[in-house]
Short mmCIF file of all heavy atoms in Angstrom, two decimals:
data_model
loop_
_atom_site.label_atom_id
_atom_site.label_comp_id
_atom_site.label_asym_id
_atom_site.label_seq_id
_atom_site.Cartn_x
_atom_site.Cartn_y
_atom_site.Cartn_z
N PHE A 1459 84.96 110.28 108.64
CA PHE A 1459 84.90 110.87 109.97
C PHE A 1459 83.62 111.68 110.13
O PHE A 1459 83.10 112.20 109.17
CB PHE A 1459 86.11 111.78 110.22
CG PHE A 1459 87.40 111.03 110.27
CD1 PHE A 1459 88.37 111.21 109.30
CD2 PHE A 1459 87.64 110.13 111.30
CE1 PHE A 1459 89.56 110.51 109.36
CE2 PHE A 1459 88.83 109.44 111.37
CZ PHE A 1459 89.80 109.63 110.39
N THR A 1460 83.18 111.78 111.39
CA THR A 1460 82.02 112.59 111.68
C THR A 1460 82.36 113.56 112.81
O THR A 1460 82.89 113.16 113.84
CB THR A 1460 80.85 111.70 112.15
OG1 THR A 1460 80.62 110.70 111.18
CG2 THR A 1460 79.59 112.54 112.32
N PHE A 1461 82.06 114.79 112.57
CA PHE A 1461 82.25 115.82 113.58
C PHE A 1461 80.87 116.27 114.05
O PHE A 1461 79.93 116.31 113.25
CB PHE A 1461 83.04 116.99 113.00
CG PHE A 1461 84.41 116.59 112.54
CD1 PHE A 1461 84.61 116.06 111.27
CD2 PHE A 1461 85.49 116.69 113.39
CE1 PHE A 1461 85.87 115.65 110.85
CE2 PHE A 1461 86.76 116.29 112.99
CZ PHE A 1461 86.95 115.76 111.72
N ALA A 1462 80.77 116.60 115.34
CA ALA A 1462 79.46 116.96 115.89
C ALA A 1462 79.61 118.16 116.82
O ALA A 1462 80.65 118.35 117.46
CB ALA A 1462 78.87 115.79 116.66
N SER A 1463 78.55 118.96 116.85
CA SER A 1463 78.51 120.12 117.74
C SER A 1463 77.05 120.41 118.05
O SER A 1463 76.19 120.27 117.19
CB SER A 1463 79.17 121.31 117.04
OG SER A 1463 79.10 122.45 117.87
N VAL A 1464 76.78 120.80 119.29
CA VAL A 1464 75.40 121.13 119.66
C VAL A 1464 75.17 122.62 119.42
O VAL A 1464 75.95 123.46 119.86
CB VAL A 1464 75.14 120.82 121.15
CG1 VAL A 1464 73.75 121.27 121.56
CG2 VAL A 1464 75.33 119.32 121.43
N ASN A 1465 74.09 122.94 118.71
CA ASN A 1465 73.65 124.33 118.59
C ASN A 1465 72.94 124.68 119.89
O ASN A 1465 71.76 124.37 120.07
CB ASN A 1465 72.72 124.49 117.39
CG ASN A 1465 72.18 125.90 117.29
OD1 ASN A 1465 72.43 126.74 118.16
ND2 ASN A 1465 71.45 126.17 116.24
N GLN A 1466 73.68 125.31 120.81
CA GLN A 1466 73.16 125.49 122.17
C GLN A 1466 72.02 126.50 122.24
O GLN A 1466 71.27 126.53 123.20
CB GLN A 1466 74.31 125.85 123.10
CG GLN A 1466 75.29 124.68 123.19
CD GLN A 1466 76.54 124.97 123.99
OE1 GLN A 1466 77.03 126.08 123.97
NE2 GLN A 1466 77.04 123.95 124.67
N GLU A 1467 71.87 127.32 121.20
CA GLU A 1467 70.73 128.25 121.13
C GLU A 1467 69.42 127.49 121.03
O GLU A 1467 68.38 127.96 121.48
CB GLU A 1467 70.85 129.14 119.89
CG GLU A 1467 72.17 129.87 119.76
CD GLU A 1467 72.17 131.17 120.53
OE1 GLU A 1467 71.36 132.03 120.19
OE2 GLU A 1467 72.97 131.28 121.47
N GLU A 1468 69.49 126.32 120.40
CA GLU A 1468 68.29 125.53 120.13
C GLU A 1468 68.08 124.42 121.14
O GLU A 1468 67.01 123.81 121.19
CB GLU A 1468 68.38 124.89 118.73
CG GLU A 1468 68.62 125.88 117.61
CD GLU A 1468 67.34 126.53 117.15
OE1 GLU A 1468 66.30 125.85 117.15
OE2 GLU A 1468 67.37 127.73 116.81
N CYS A 1469 69.10 124.11 121.94
CA CYS A 1469 69.00 123.03 122.92
C CYS A 1469 68.02 123.43 124.02
O CYS A 1469 68.10 124.52 124.57
CB CYS A 1469 70.38 122.77 123.51
SG CYS A 1469 70.39 121.58 124.87
N ILE A 1470 67.07 122.52 124.31
CA ILE A 1470 66.09 122.81 125.36
C ILE A 1470 66.39 122.03 126.63
O ILE A 1470 65.53 121.85 127.49
CB ILE A 1470 64.65 122.52 124.88
CG1 ILE A 1470 64.52 121.05 124.43
CG2 ILE A 1470 64.25 123.47 123.75
CD1 ILE A 1470 63.07 120.60 124.25
N ALA A 1471 67.61 121.52 126.74
CA ALA A 1471 68.07 120.85 127.96
C ALA A 1471 67.22 119.63 128.31
O ALA A 1471 66.95 119.39 129.48
CB ALA A 1471 68.10 121.85 129.12
N CYS A 1472 66.85 118.87 127.29
CA CYS A 1472 66.02 117.69 127.57
C CYS A 1472 66.85 116.53 128.08
O CYS A 1472 66.33 115.63 128.73
CB CYS A 1472 65.23 117.29 126.34
SG CYS A 1472 66.20 116.34 125.17
N GLY A 1473 68.15 116.52 127.76
CA GLY A 1473 69.03 115.49 128.29
C GLY A 1473 69.06 114.18 127.52
O GLY A 1473 69.80 113.27 127.88
N ALA A 1474 68.26 114.05 126.47
CA ALA A 1474 68.18 112.78 125.75
C ALA A 1474 69.52 112.38 125.12
O ALA A 1474 69.86 111.20 125.09
CB ALA A 1474 67.10 112.85 124.68
N CYS A 1475 70.26 113.36 124.64
CA CYS A 1475 71.53 113.02 123.98
C CYS A 1475 72.51 112.43 124.98
O CYS A 1475 73.23 111.48 124.66
CB CYS A 1475 72.13 114.26 123.31
SG CYS A 1475 72.36 115.65 124.44
N ASN A 1476 72.51 112.96 126.18
CA ASN A 1476 73.41 112.46 127.22
C ASN A 1476 73.02 111.05 127.64
O ASN A 1476 73.88 110.20 127.91
CB ASN A 1476 73.39 113.42 128.41
CG ASN A 1476 74.25 112.95 129.57
OD1 ASN A 1476 73.74 112.69 130.64
ND2 ASN A 1476 75.54 112.82 129.35
N SER A 1477 71.71 110.76 127.66
CA SER A 1477 71.26 109.41 127.99
C SER A 1477 71.65 108.43 126.89
O SER A 1477 72.10 107.32 127.16
CB SER A 1477 69.74 109.36 128.16
OG SER A 1477 69.36 110.20 129.22
N ALA A 1478 71.50 108.85 125.64
CA ALA A 1478 71.78 107.95 124.51
C ALA A 1478 73.27 107.77 124.28
O ALA A 1478 73.72 106.70 123.88
CB ALA A 1478 71.12 108.49 123.24
N ALA A 1479 74.05 108.82 124.52
CA ALA A 1479 75.48 108.79 124.19
C ALA A 1479 76.29 109.54 125.24
O ALA A 1479 76.84 110.61 124.98
CB ALA A 1479 75.69 109.40 122.80
N PRO A 1480 76.39 108.96 126.43
CA PRO A 1480 77.10 109.66 127.52
C PRO A 1480 78.59 109.88 127.25
O PRO A 1480 79.20 110.75 127.88
CB PRO A 1480 76.89 108.74 128.73
CG PRO A 1480 76.52 107.41 128.17
CD PRO A 1480 75.83 107.68 126.86
N ASP A 1481 79.16 109.11 126.32
CA ASP A 1481 80.58 109.31 126.00
C ASP A 1481 80.79 110.48 125.04
O ASP A 1481 81.92 110.91 124.82
CB ASP A 1481 81.17 108.05 125.36
CG ASP A 1481 81.18 106.88 126.33
OD1 ASP A 1481 81.35 107.12 127.55
OD2 ASP A 1481 81.01 105.74 125.88
N ILE A 1482 79.70 110.96 124.47
CA ILE A 1482 79.83 112.05 123.49
C ILE A 1482 79.28 113.36 124.04
O ILE A 1482 79.84 114.43 123.79
CB ILE A 1482 79.09 111.71 122.18
CG1 ILE A 1482 79.60 110.38 121.61
CG2 ILE A 1482 79.27 112.83 121.15
CD1 ILE A 1482 78.84 109.89 120.39
N PHE A 1483 78.16 113.28 124.80
CA PHE A 1483 77.49 114.50 125.25
C PHE A 1483 77.45 114.60 126.77
O PHE A 1483 77.20 113.61 127.45
CB PHE A 1483 76.04 114.54 124.73
CG PHE A 1483 75.94 114.52 123.23
CD1 PHE A 1483 75.72 113.33 122.56
CD2 PHE A 1483 76.11 115.69 122.50
CE1 PHE A 1483 75.66 113.31 121.17
CE2 PHE A 1483 76.04 115.68 121.11
CZ PHE A 1483 75.82 114.47 120.44
N ASP A 1484 77.69 115.79 127.27
CA ASP A 1484 77.50 116.06 128.69
C ASP A 1484 76.63 117.31 128.82
O ASP A 1484 76.48 118.07 127.86
CB ASP A 1484 78.85 116.26 129.38
CG ASP A 1484 78.75 116.03 130.90
OD1 ASP A 1484 77.66 115.62 131.38
OD2 ASP A 1484 79.76 116.26 131.58
N LEU A 1485 76.05 117.47 129.99
CA LEU A 1485 75.14 118.59 130.22
C LEU A 1485 75.74 119.54 131.24
O LEU A 1485 76.36 119.09 132.22
CB LEU A 1485 73.80 118.05 130.77
CG LEU A 1485 73.16 116.92 129.96
CD1 LEU A 1485 71.91 116.41 130.66
CD2 LEU A 1485 72.85 117.35 128.54
N ASP A 1486 75.58 120.83 131.04
CA ASP A 1486 76.09 121.78 132.03
C ASP A 1486 75.07 121.95 133.16
O ASP A 1486 74.05 121.26 133.19
CB ASP A 1486 76.48 123.11 131.36
CG ASP A 1486 75.27 123.92 130.89
OD1 ASP A 1486 74.13 123.59 131.25
OD2 ASP A 1486 75.50 124.90 130.16
N ASP A 1487 75.33 122.85 134.07
CA ASP A 1487 74.46 123.02 135.24
C ASP A 1487 73.03 123.39 134.86
O ASP A 1487 72.09 123.12 135.61
CB ASP A 1487 75.03 124.09 136.18
CG ASP A 1487 76.32 123.62 136.84
OD1 ASP A 1487 76.60 122.40 136.80
OD2 ASP A 1487 77.05 124.46 137.38
N SER A 1488 72.87 124.00 133.69
CA SER A 1488 71.53 124.36 133.22
C SER A 1488 70.92 123.27 132.35
O SER A 1488 69.81 123.43 131.85
CB SER A 1488 71.59 125.64 132.40
OG SER A 1488 72.38 126.61 133.04
N GLY A 1489 71.66 122.19 132.13
CA GLY A 1489 71.15 121.08 131.33
C GLY A 1489 71.43 121.22 129.84
O GLY A 1489 71.02 120.39 129.05
N ILE A 1490 72.15 122.28 129.48
CA ILE A 1490 72.49 122.49 128.07
C ILE A 1490 73.63 121.55 127.69
O ILE A 1490 74.61 121.41 128.42
CB ILE A 1490 72.89 123.96 127.81
CG1 ILE A 1490 71.76 124.92 128.22
CG2 ILE A 1490 73.29 124.17 126.35
CD1 ILE A 1490 70.49 124.78 127.41
N ALA A 1491 73.47 120.92 126.52
CA ALA A 1491 74.41 119.88 126.11
C ALA A 1491 75.64 120.44 125.39
O ALA A 1491 75.56 121.48 124.71
CB ALA A 1491 73.70 118.89 125.19
N SER A 1492 76.75 119.71 125.55
CA SER A 1492 77.98 119.98 124.80
C SER A 1492 78.55 118.66 124.32
O SER A 1492 78.37 117.63 124.96
CB SER A 1492 79.05 120.58 125.71
OG SER A 1492 78.74 121.88 126.09
N VAL A 1493 79.26 118.71 123.22
CA VAL A 1493 80.05 117.55 122.81
C VAL A 1493 81.30 117.55 123.67
O VAL A 1493 82.07 118.51 123.68
CB VAL A 1493 80.42 117.64 121.31
CG1 VAL A 1493 81.41 116.54 120.94
CG2 VAL A 1493 79.16 117.56 120.46
N ILE A 1494 81.49 116.47 124.42
CA ILE A 1494 82.64 116.39 125.32
C ILE A 1494 83.65 115.32 124.88
O ILE A 1494 84.67 115.14 125.52
CB ILE A 1494 82.22 116.13 126.77
CG1 ILE A 1494 81.22 114.98 126.91
CG2 ILE A 1494 81.59 117.40 127.37
CD1 ILE A 1494 81.82 113.65 127.26
N PHE A 1495 83.34 114.64 123.77
CA PHE A 1495 84.21 113.55 123.33
C PHE A 1495 85.65 114.04 123.16
O PHE A 1495 85.90 115.04 122.48
CB PHE A 1495 83.71 112.94 122.02
CG PHE A 1495 84.58 111.84 121.51
CD1 PHE A 1495 84.60 110.61 122.15
CD2 PHE A 1495 85.41 112.05 120.43
CE1 PHE A 1495 85.43 109.60 121.71
CE2 PHE A 1495 86.25 111.03 119.98
CZ PHE A 1495 86.26 109.81 120.62
N ALA A 1496 86.57 113.35 123.80
CA ALA A 1496 88.00 113.64 123.68
C ALA A 1496 88.32 115.12 123.92
O ALA A 1496 89.20 115.70 123.29
CB ALA A 1496 88.52 113.21 122.30
N GLY A 1497 87.60 115.72 124.86
CA GLY A 1497 87.90 117.11 125.21
C GLY A 1497 87.50 118.12 124.16
O GLY A 1497 88.04 119.22 124.10
N ASP A 1498 86.52 117.74 123.32
CA ASP A 1498 86.16 118.63 122.21
C ASP A 1498 85.59 119.97 122.67
O ASP A 1498 85.73 120.99 121.99
CB ASP A 1498 85.16 117.93 121.29
CG ASP A 1498 84.88 118.75 120.04
OD1 ASP A 1498 85.77 118.85 119.20
OD2 ASP A 1498 83.78 119.33 119.95
N ASN A 1499 84.91 119.96 123.82
CA ASN A 1499 84.36 121.21 124.36
C ASN A 1499 83.38 121.89 123.40
O ASN A 1499 83.33 123.11 123.31
CB ASN A 1499 85.50 122.16 124.76
CG ASN A 1499 85.05 123.22 125.74
OD1 ASN A 1499 84.04 123.04 126.41
ND2 ASN A 1499 85.77 124.32 125.81
N ASN A 1500 82.64 121.06 122.66
CA ASN A 1500 81.59 121.51 121.73
C ASN A 1500 82.13 122.34 120.56
O ASN A 1500 81.37 123.04 119.91
CB ASN A 1500 80.49 122.29 122.46
CG ASN A 1500 79.16 122.19 121.71
OD1 ASN A 1500 78.75 121.11 121.32
ND2 ASN A 1500 78.50 123.31 121.51
N ARG A 1501 83.43 122.23 120.30
CA ARG A 1501 83.97 122.97 119.16
C ARG A 1501 83.69 122.25 117.84
O ARG A 1501 83.72 122.87 116.77
CB ARG A 1501 85.49 123.17 119.34
CG ARG A 1501 85.83 124.15 120.45
CD ARG A 1501 87.32 124.12 120.76
NE ARG A 1501 87.73 122.79 121.21
CZ ARG A 1501 88.98 122.33 121.12
NH1 ARG A 1501 89.93 123.07 120.61
NH2 ARG A 1501 89.26 121.13 121.57
N GLY A 1502 83.47 120.93 117.93
CA GLY A 1502 83.20 120.17 116.71
C GLY A 1502 84.44 119.96 115.87
O GLY A 1502 84.36 119.88 114.64
N VAL A 1503 85.57 119.86 116.53
CA VAL A 1503 86.82 119.70 115.78
C VAL A 1503 87.48 118.34 116.04
O VAL A 1503 88.55 118.06 115.51
CB VAL A 1503 87.83 120.82 116.11
CG1 VAL A 1503 87.27 122.18 115.67
CG2 VAL A 1503 88.19 120.85 117.59
N THR A 1504 86.82 117.50 116.85
CA THR A 1504 87.35 116.18 117.16
C THR A 1504 86.48 115.13 116.51
O THR A 1504 85.28 115.07 116.78
CB THR A 1504 87.35 115.96 118.69
OG1 THR A 1504 87.93 117.09 119.33
CG2 THR A 1504 88.13 114.71 119.05
N ALA A 1505 87.05 114.32 115.64
CA ALA A 1505 86.26 113.29 114.96
C ALA A 1505 85.73 112.29 115.99
O ALA A 1505 86.48 111.80 116.83
CB ALA A 1505 87.11 112.58 113.92
N ILE A 1506 84.43 112.01 115.91
CA ILE A 1506 83.81 111.05 116.82
C ILE A 1506 84.24 109.64 116.42
O ILE A 1506 84.18 109.28 115.25
CB ILE A 1506 82.26 111.16 116.77
CG1 ILE A 1506 81.80 112.61 117.02
CG2 ILE A 1506 81.63 110.20 117.76
CD1 ILE A 1506 82.11 113.17 118.39
N ALA A 1507 84.67 108.86 117.42
CA ALA A 1507 85.20 107.52 117.15
C ALA A 1507 84.19 106.64 116.42
O ALA A 1507 82.99 106.74 116.63
CB ALA A 1507 85.60 106.86 118.47
N GLU A 1508 84.74 105.80 115.57
CA GLU A 1508 83.93 104.87 114.76
C GLU A 1508 82.97 104.07 115.63
O GLU A 1508 81.79 103.92 115.30
CB GLU A 1508 84.89 103.93 114.01
CG GLU A 1508 84.29 103.25 112.82
CD GLU A 1508 83.81 104.23 111.76
OE1 GLU A 1508 84.58 105.12 111.37
OE2 GLU A 1508 82.65 104.09 111.36
N GLU A 1509 83.46 103.57 116.75
CA GLU A 1509 82.63 102.69 117.59
C GLU A 1509 81.52 103.45 118.32
O GLU A 1509 80.66 102.83 118.94
CB GLU A 1509 83.49 101.89 118.58
CG GLU A 1509 84.26 102.72 119.58
CD GLU A 1509 85.67 103.07 119.10
OE1 GLU A 1509 85.91 103.13 117.87
OE2 GLU A 1509 86.53 103.30 119.97
N LEU A 1510 81.52 104.77 118.24
CA LEU A 1510 80.46 105.55 118.89
C LEU A 1510 79.44 106.09 117.89
O LEU A 1510 78.50 106.80 118.27
CB LEU A 1510 81.08 106.73 119.66
CG LEU A 1510 81.93 106.37 120.88
CD1 LEU A 1510 82.50 107.64 121.51
CD2 LEU A 1510 81.13 105.59 121.91
N GLN A 1511 79.57 105.72 116.63
CA GLN A 1511 78.68 106.26 115.60
C GLN A 1511 77.22 105.89 115.85
O GLN A 1511 76.32 106.68 115.59
CB GLN A 1511 79.10 105.79 114.21
CG GLN A 1511 80.48 106.31 113.78
CD GLN A 1511 80.51 107.81 113.58
OE1 GLN A 1511 79.58 108.40 113.08
NE2 GLN A 1511 81.60 108.43 114.00
N GLU A 1512 77.02 104.67 116.36
CA GLU A 1512 75.64 104.23 116.60
C GLU A 1512 75.01 105.04 117.72
O GLU A 1512 73.86 105.49 117.62
CB GLU A 1512 75.63 102.74 116.92
CG GLU A 1512 74.30 102.07 116.62
CD GLU A 1512 74.40 100.55 116.66
OE1 GLU A 1512 75.39 100.01 116.10
OE2 GLU A 1512 73.53 99.92 117.27
N GLU A 1513 75.78 105.24 118.80
CA GLU A 1513 75.31 106.08 119.92
C GLU A 1513 75.02 107.49 119.44
O GLU A 1513 74.04 108.11 119.83
CB GLU A 1513 76.41 106.20 121.00
CG GLU A 1513 76.44 105.06 121.99
CD GLU A 1513 77.46 105.33 123.10
OE1 GLU A 1513 77.63 106.49 123.51
OE2 GLU A 1513 78.11 104.35 123.53
N LEU A 1514 75.90 107.98 118.59
CA LEU A 1514 75.73 109.34 118.06
C LEU A 1514 74.41 109.43 117.30
O LEU A 1514 73.65 110.38 117.48
CB LEU A 1514 76.91 109.68 117.15
CG LEU A 1514 76.85 111.04 116.44
CD1 LEU A 1514 76.75 112.19 117.43
CD2 LEU A 1514 78.07 111.22 115.54
N GLN A 1515 74.15 108.44 116.46
CA GLN A 1515 72.90 108.45 115.69
C GLN A 1515 71.69 108.37 116.62
O GLN A 1515 70.68 109.05 116.40
CB GLN A 1515 72.90 107.29 114.67
CG GLN A 1515 71.77 107.39 113.65
CD GLN A 1515 71.79 108.70 112.86
OE1 GLN A 1515 72.80 109.06 112.28
NE2 GLN A 1515 70.69 109.43 112.86
N ASP A 1516 71.78 107.54 117.66
CA ASP A 1516 70.69 107.43 118.63
C ASP A 1516 70.41 108.79 119.28
O ASP A 1516 69.26 109.18 119.48
CB ASP A 1516 71.02 106.42 119.73
CG ASP A 1516 70.95 104.99 119.24
OD1 ASP A 1516 70.41 104.76 118.14
OD2 ASP A 1516 71.43 104.09 119.97
N ALA A 1517 71.49 109.50 119.62
CA ALA A 1517 71.34 110.81 120.24
C ALA A 1517 70.65 111.79 119.29
O ALA A 1517 69.74 112.52 119.69
CB ALA A 1517 72.71 111.34 120.66
N ILE A 1518 71.09 111.78 118.05
CA ILE A 1518 70.49 112.67 117.06
C ILE A 1518 69.02 112.36 116.88
O ILE A 1518 68.17 113.26 116.85
CB ILE A 1518 71.25 112.54 115.73
CG1 ILE A 1518 72.63 113.15 115.88
CG2 ILE A 1518 70.47 113.20 114.58
CD1 ILE A 1518 73.59 112.80 114.79
N ASP A 1519 68.70 111.08 116.82
CA ASP A 1519 67.30 110.67 116.64
C ASP A 1519 66.45 111.05 117.84
O ASP A 1519 65.24 111.26 117.71
CB ASP A 1519 67.21 109.15 116.42
CG ASP A 1519 67.82 108.73 115.10
OD1 ASP A 1519 68.04 109.60 114.23
OD2 ASP A 1519 68.08 107.52 114.93
N SER A 1520 67.06 111.13 119.02
CA SER A 1520 66.27 111.39 120.23
C SER A 1520 66.19 112.87 120.59
O SER A 1520 65.43 113.26 121.46
CB SER A 1520 66.84 110.59 121.40
OG SER A 1520 68.14 111.03 121.69
N CYS A 1521 66.94 113.71 119.92
CA CYS A 1521 66.92 115.14 120.23
C CYS A 1521 65.66 115.79 119.66
O CYS A 1521 65.45 115.79 118.45
CB CYS A 1521 68.16 115.83 119.67
SG CYS A 1521 68.13 117.61 119.97
N PRO A 1522 64.81 116.36 120.53
CA PRO A 1522 63.53 116.89 120.06
C PRO A 1522 63.67 118.15 119.19
O PRO A 1522 62.75 118.47 118.44
CB PRO A 1522 62.78 117.20 121.35
CG PRO A 1522 63.83 117.36 122.38
CD PRO A 1522 64.96 116.47 121.98
N THR A 1523 64.78 118.86 119.30
CA THR A 1523 64.90 120.10 118.52
C THR A 1523 65.92 119.97 117.39
O THR A 1523 66.23 120.95 116.71
CB THR A 1523 65.30 121.28 119.42
OG1 THR A 1523 66.60 121.03 119.96
CG2 THR A 1523 64.32 121.48 120.56
N GLN A 1524 66.44 118.76 117.20
CA GLN A 1524 67.41 118.51 116.12
C GLN A 1524 68.54 119.54 116.12
O GLN A 1524 68.93 120.05 115.07
CB GLN A 1524 66.69 118.50 114.76
CG GLN A 1524 66.06 117.15 114.49
CD GLN A 1524 64.75 117.26 113.72
OE1 GLN A 1524 64.51 118.25 113.05
NE2 GLN A 1524 63.91 116.26 113.83
N CYS A 1525 69.03 119.82 117.31
CA CYS A 1525 70.07 120.85 117.39
C CYS A 1525 71.48 120.25 117.42
O CYS A 1525 72.45 120.99 117.59
CB CYS A 1525 69.83 121.75 118.59
SG CYS A 1525 69.88 120.89 120.15
N ILE A 1526 71.59 118.93 117.25
CA ILE A 1526 72.91 118.31 117.15
C ILE A 1526 73.33 118.38 115.68
O ILE A 1526 72.71 117.77 114.82
CB ILE A 1526 72.90 116.87 117.66
CG1 ILE A 1526 72.48 116.83 119.13
CG2 ILE A 1526 74.29 116.24 117.47
CD1 ILE A 1526 72.16 115.44 119.65
N GLN A 1527 74.37 119.16 115.44
CA GLN A 1527 74.82 119.38 114.07
C GLN A 1527 75.94 118.42 113.74
O GLN A 1527 76.84 118.21 114.55
CB GLN A 1527 75.34 120.81 113.93
CG GLN A 1527 74.36 121.86 114.39
CD GLN A 1527 75.02 123.22 114.51
OE1 GLN A 1527 75.92 123.43 115.31
NE2 GLN A 1527 74.58 124.14 113.69
N LEU A 1528 75.90 117.87 112.53
CA LEU A 1528 76.94 116.95 112.07
C LEU A 1528 77.64 117.53 110.86
O LEU A 1528 77.05 118.27 110.09
CB LEU A 1528 76.33 115.61 111.65
CG LEU A 1528 75.84 114.65 112.70
CD1 LEU A 1528 75.46 113.34 112.01
CD2 LEU A 1528 76.89 114.41 113.77
N SER A 1529 78.90 117.14 110.70
CA SER A 1529 79.62 117.53 109.51
C SER A 1529 80.66 116.47 109.20
O SER A 1529 81.12 115.77 110.11
CB SER A 1529 80.30 118.87 109.73
OG SER A 1529 81.10 119.20 108.62
N ASP A 1530 81.04 116.34 107.95
CA ASP A 1530 82.13 115.41 107.64
C ASP A 1530 83.47 116.13 107.62
O ASP A 1530 84.51 115.55 107.32
CB ASP A 1530 81.88 114.63 106.34
CG ASP A 1530 81.59 115.54 105.17
OD1 ASP A 1530 81.80 116.77 105.31
OD2 ASP A 1530 81.15 115.02 104.13
N ALA A 1531 83.45 117.41 107.99
CA ALA A 1531 84.68 118.18 108.15
C ALA A 1531 84.59 118.91 109.48
O ALA A 1531 83.48 119.14 109.98
CB ALA A 1531 84.84 119.17 107.02
N PRO A 1532 85.73 119.25 110.08
CA PRO A 1532 85.68 119.95 111.36
C PRO A 1532 84.93 121.29 111.25
O PRO A 1532 85.04 121.96 110.23
CB PRO A 1532 87.15 120.21 111.70
CG PRO A 1532 87.92 119.28 110.83
CD PRO A 1532 87.09 119.02 109.62
N PHE A 1533 84.17 121.62 112.29
CA PHE A 1533 83.54 122.93 112.33
C PHE A 1533 84.63 123.98 112.51
O PHE A 1533 85.64 123.72 113.16
CB PHE A 1533 82.54 123.01 113.50
CG PHE A 1533 81.29 122.20 113.27
CD1 PHE A 1533 81.27 120.82 113.51
CD2 PHE A 1533 80.12 122.79 112.80
CE1 PHE A 1533 80.13 120.05 113.28
CE2 PHE A 1533 78.98 122.03 112.57
CZ PHE A 1533 78.98 120.67 112.82
N ALA A 1534 84.44 125.14 111.94
CA ALA A 1534 85.48 126.16 112.01
C ALA A 1534 85.62 126.69 113.42
O ALA A 1534 84.69 126.72 114.18
CB ALA A 1534 85.16 127.30 111.07
FE1 F3S B 3016 69.71 119.50 124.06
FE2 F3S B 3016 68.89 117.92 122.20
FE3 F3S B 3016 70.56 117.07 123.97
S1 F3S B 3016 67.67 119.40 123.27
S2 F3S B 3016 70.08 118.20 125.82
S3 F3S B 3016 70.96 118.62 122.48
S4 F3S B 3016 68.91 115.92 123.12
#
């Protein structure tokens, strides 16, 4: 399993993650990204579905500040 969470302190609201993986990331009114998969609300406690792993990797590769954090265990 892969858990993901955006470090919003480092997000510069570029929107690339939302373009690459709209099922995983959404942007707030200021353009700051959150993990929205399955109602995660950027807590990083919902395992990202297997079929979205490629999109997730694309998003990570496209984020200019590398603020998308991954873990193989849920974030606390
Ligand atoms: Fe922010 Fe990176 Fe997405 S800067 S909007 S988390 S691509």
Side-chain angles (χ1 to χ4, degrees):
F1459 293 114
T1460 306
F1461 299 85
S1463 178
V1464 176
N1465 176 356
Q1466 295 175 326
E1467 307 275 298
E1468 304 278 324
C1469 174
I1470 58 167
C1472 80
C1475 56
N1476 177 244
S1477 299
D1481 295 327
I1482 304 174
F1483 300 97
D1484 201 5
L1485 309 176
D1486 71 11
D1487 291 345
S1488 314
I1490 302 296
S1492 290
V1493 172
I1494 49 97
F1495 179 72
D1498 187 71
N1499 200 21
N1500 207 48
R1501 289 170 299 157
V1503 297
T1504 311
I1506 307 296
E1508 199 61 51
E1509 62 268 27
L1510 293 178
Q1511 295 294 321
E1512 204 167 316
E1513 276 186 36
L1514 176 59
Q1515 191 57 53
D1516 286 347
I1518 290 166
D1519 293 344
S1520 64
C1521 177
T1523 64
Q1524 278 146 22
C1525 62
I1526 300 168
Q1527 306 168 296
L1528 285 188
S1529 175
D1530 54 11
F1533 288 82

